[in-house]
Amino acid sequence: MKIAINTDLQAVALQEQIILTDIELALTQGSWTAIVGPNGAGKSTLLRAIAGLLPVQGRIDLLGRDLTQWPAKERARTMAWLGQNETSSNELRVYEVVMLGRLPHQAWLAPPSHADHAAVALAMQQTQSWDWRDRPLGQLSGGERQRVLLARALAVQARVLLMDEPLAHLDPPHQADWLELVRELSAAGVAVVSVLHELNMALQADTLVIMQGGQVSWHGAPKLVQTRAALQAVFDHRLHLVEVQGQWLSLPCPPAAAPAPASNVRPLKGQQD
């Protein structure tokens, strides 16, 4: 598969504090990667660095080209972003909010084209937000608002889609809809990268990037025993992983019930296919 994102980061700092160090990743097109790890592991910082929202020491390549060499508008057409707690004017109509995702495709002050309207309609249908298109954003619930902001990112029709906690405020049925949508996007060749706290959803990704202490402790498919061992290790063995109908699920457990780590399990680094 063609590499969509390649990172070789020596360090990423926030407010003069080093948050990430020594991160090398290769993420492929047509694949869904979930970034997981405990609180403070650096997950969101890594995603923001990949998106070009933070200065880095090192290099990030987007589709084989240094991220810093991409013209801003071309990069915005190629890589879409959905961040945590995204905001938009509460007075804007929902349709107008989603249309903001088409700005990278439009000439300065040009009205939306037929292709823009078609992309917005498709994105809103994919997120089941079309029925609210004439409502002000401020009238929506948290979950409805999240679906509109997801539609805005989808309307870009980018080859790379980055999402930081996209399931926030979504109820289980709409989380399932999101999962189906991500699978459709990756099957169509989009590189999807998401930061998730919902481990049961993350375990359905093609690849897990497991982070701890500002570094990647493991990068591999959930089906690998090494991946599951690394996942348990970063959460201090406070979760059980069980297989149900061919799908791995995570169940939290209290400290007294946490299994002792196996003597042959060591901190893991690397990537396996």
Side-chain angles (χ1 to χ4, degrees):
M1 282 189 177
K2 185 176 180 180
I3 301 298
I5 299 169
N6 196 73
T7 71
D8 183 7
L9 300 178
Q10 286 80 58
V12 178
L14 290 175
Q15 298 179 345
E16 300 184 353
Q17 180 180 356
I18 300 296
I19 305 298
L20 306 178
T21 56
D22 301 325
I23 292 183
E24 296 183 16
L25 286 173
L27 308 178
T28 58
Q29 287 183 258
S31 181
W32 169 29
T33 299
I35 303 175
V36 299
N39 294 336
K43 305 181 295 295
S44 294
T45 302
L46 174 58
L47 199 68
R48 291 174 65 197
I50 291 172
L53 301 177
L54 294 174
V56 304
Q57 296 179 26
R59 179 183 173 114
I60 298 173
D61 285 345
L62 172 63
L63 300 175
R65 182 176 169 194
D66 190 324
L67 191 62
T68 62
Q69 301 304 311
W70 283 76
K73 201 164 187 177
E74 184 182 359
R75 186 173 77 181
R77 289 194 298 265
T78 305
M79 184 163 57
W81 166 260
L82 174 63
Q84 286 188 47
N85 303 315
E86 288 277 305
T87 60
S88 191
S89 173
N90 286 333
E91 288 73 35
L92 285 177
R93 291 188 308 124
V94 165
Y95 192 90
E96 295 169 333
V97 172
V98 181
M99 184 60 75
L100 293 174
R102 298 299 299 173
L103 286 178
H105 297 271
Q106 297 170 2
W108 176 249
L109 297 181
S113 66
H114 175 75
D116 293 328
H117 286 292
V120 167
L122 175 60
M124 297 185 75
Q125 290 161 4
Q126 288 174 315
T127 59
Q128 300 173 42
S129 58
W130 177 252
D131 289 345
W132 320 321
R133 58 191 179 278
D134 293 323
R135 291 175 59 185
L137 186 66
Q139 291 184 3
L140 302 185
S141 70
E144 291 169 338
R145 188 185 187 102
Q146 184 72 358
R147 285 153 61 190
V148 170
L149 297 176
L150 174 59
R152 184 180 67 184
L154 293 176
V156 181
Q157 297 184 326
R159 296 169 67 185
V160 177
L161 176 59
L162 308 179
M163 296 181 282
D164 193 357
E165 297 191 32
L167 301 180
H169 308 296
L170 296 188
D171 56 27
H174 290 108
Q175 289 187 8
D177 293 340
W178 177 89
L179 176 61
E180 181 179 4
L181 176 59
V182 165
R183 286 173 168 164
E184 291 174 356
L185 290 170
S186 59
V190 177
V192 180
V193 186
S194 57
V195 169
L196 292 174
H197 284 292
E198 298 82 1
L199 294 182
N200 286 332
M201 299 294 275
L203 282 164
Q204 300 188 55
D206 298 308
T207 304
L208 288 185
V209 171
I210 302 173
M211 297 192 66
Q212 185 174 35
Q215 295 185 312
V216 174
S217 65
W218 183 261
H219 178 205
K223 65 183 180 181
L224 295 174
V225 65
Q226 299 98 322
T227 303
R228 299 193 297 277
L231 186 62
Q232 289 178 308
V234 299
F235 285 104
D236 298 324
H237 298 271
R238 290 283 307 277
L239 53 86
H240 293 295
L241 295 179
V242 296
E243 189 175 18
V244 178
Q245 297 181 348
Q247 174 61 52
W248 287 95
L249 300 177
S250 168
L251 301 175
C253 57
S263 59
N264 62 343
V265 175
R266 298 180 175 84
L268 297 169
K269 289 188 178 182
Q271 176 181 359
Q272 294 192 15
D273 295 324

